[in-house]
């Protein structure tokens, strides 16, 4: 797995939709590559923020579009 592979598989990884082999090689790469580690970490936090739906200091329009896009793509387990 290289950096490009991590970017390609990132949303599957965060969805926990990767098969074990792919997931493992991605995690091994993360241990050695600070850039990708940061990317995954930042993306996870961003998703958490959006999934928790705290208002952000962005314009209403931008926030809504981002939120909708992320929810559609990544938030598979809404809190009930
Ligand atoms: Zn990398």
């Amino acid at each position: 797995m290289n950096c490009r592979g991590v970017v390609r598989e990132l949303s599957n990884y965060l969805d926990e939709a990767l098969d074990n082999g792919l997931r493992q090689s991605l995690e091994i790469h993360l241990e050695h590559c600070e850039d990708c580690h940061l990317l995954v970490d930042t993306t996870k936090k961003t998703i958490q923020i959006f999934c928790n739906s705290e208002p952000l200091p962005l314009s209403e329009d931008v926030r809504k579009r981002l939120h909708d896009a992320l929810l559609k793509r990544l938030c598979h387990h809404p809190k009930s």
Side-chain angles (χ1 to χ4, degrees):
M1 175 82 59
N2 55 23
C3 295
R4 193 174 295 188
V6 171
V7 172
R8 195 181 55 226
E9 302 298 341
L10 181 61
S11 69
N12 285 333
Y13 176 64
L14 294 173
D15 280 348
E16 297 181 9
L18 287 185
D19 67 54
N20 283 339
L22 213 52
R23 181 189 179 89
Q24 205 167 32
S25 65
L26 191 150
E27 283 175 344
I28 289 167
H29 179 90
L30 291 184
E31 284 176 23
H32 301 287
C33 179
E34 200 171 332
D35 285 346
C36 289
H37 187 91
L38 200 67
L39 174 69
V40 170
D41 205 49
T42 307
T43 308
K44 263 187 196 166
K45 281 178 185 151
T46 307
I47 293 164
Q48 276 165 8
I49 288 166
F50 278 108
C51 290
N52 288 332
S53 291
E54 287 297 321
L56 293 173
L58 293 171
S59 83
E60 182 67 20
D61 182 53
V62 172
R63 188 167 60 83
K64 190 175 184 318
R65 275 185 289 144
L66 260 175
H67 195 168
D68 287 350
L70 277 168
L71 277 180
K72 220 174 274 173
R73 193 175 170 89
L74 297 165
C75 300
H76 290 169
H77 307 289
K79 285 180 185 168
S80 53

